[in-house]
Amino acid sequence: KPQLALLDHGLYRELSEEFRVNYCHLYKSICNGDLAGIRKYSEYMQAAHAWKLFASMLTATSFDQVESRSLGTKKLSETDRSRMQSYAAQHMDGISELL
């Protein structure tokens, strides 16, 4: 049965209401597989140029899983892990830029 786990790292800075609301909309779009919403709210988060990568980073999954709305429906296989590691290595510059 899928479960949602939230990890609270605490705030390192105070978030504006606009940022918080847009971030919530982004996560809602990710959970619903709403590609237009992911793109829209990634733009608000200054990540429009890499919206697919941004969604993958936030979910620690491939964009294929985000797109197919299959987040949390299965455990990652070793093949999936290897693919993710390879993808992360290939896109390290973009990941660093987004962070």
Side-chain angles (χ1 to χ4, degrees), residues 45-72:
M45 310 302 295
Q46 311 301 312
H49 63 287
W51 64 280
K52 290 180 179 181
L53 178 60
F54 191 48
S56 294
M57 288 171 55
L58 291 173
T59 59
T61 62
S62 69
F63 189 74
D64 292 340
Q65 283 186 284
V66 173
E67 195 171 30
S68 67
R69 301 178 188 172
S70 62
L71 294 174

Side-chain angles (χ1 to χ4, degrees), residues 2-6 31:
Q3 296 181 356
L4 175 64
L6 299 176
C31 291

Side-chain angles (χ1 to χ4, degrees), residues 18-59:
E18 179 183 21
F19 181 93
R20 188 186 63 74
V21 169
N22 286 331
Y23 199 65
C24 289
H25 284 299
L26 174 60
Y27 255 97
K28 182 178 178 182
S29 296
I30 289 171
C31 291
N32 290 325
D34 174 10
L35 302 184
I38 296 169
R39 182 178 281 185
K40 175 183 176 180
Y41 292 106
S42 291
E43 183 175 339
Y44 292 151
M45 310 302 295
Q46 311 301 312
H49 63 287
W51 64 280
K52 290 180 179 181
L53 178 60
F54 191 48
S56 294
M57 288 171 55
L58 291 173
T59 59

Side-chain angles (χ1 to χ4, degrees), residues 5-15 23 27 57-58 60 99:
L6 299 176
L7 303 177
D8 183 1
H9 293 277
L11 287 177
Y12 300 98
R13 66 182 179 117
E14 197 164 318
L15 305 176
Y23 199 65
Y27 255 97
M57 288 171 55
L58 291 173
L99 294 175

Side-chain angles (χ1 to χ4, degrees), residues 78-94:
E78 283 304 315
T79 302
D80 292 332
R81 281 188 221 288
S82 291
R83 189 177 311 127
M84 289 290 296
Q85 288 173 341
S86 175
Y87 187 77
Q90 290 172 1
H91 297 281
M92 188 53 66
D93 290 341

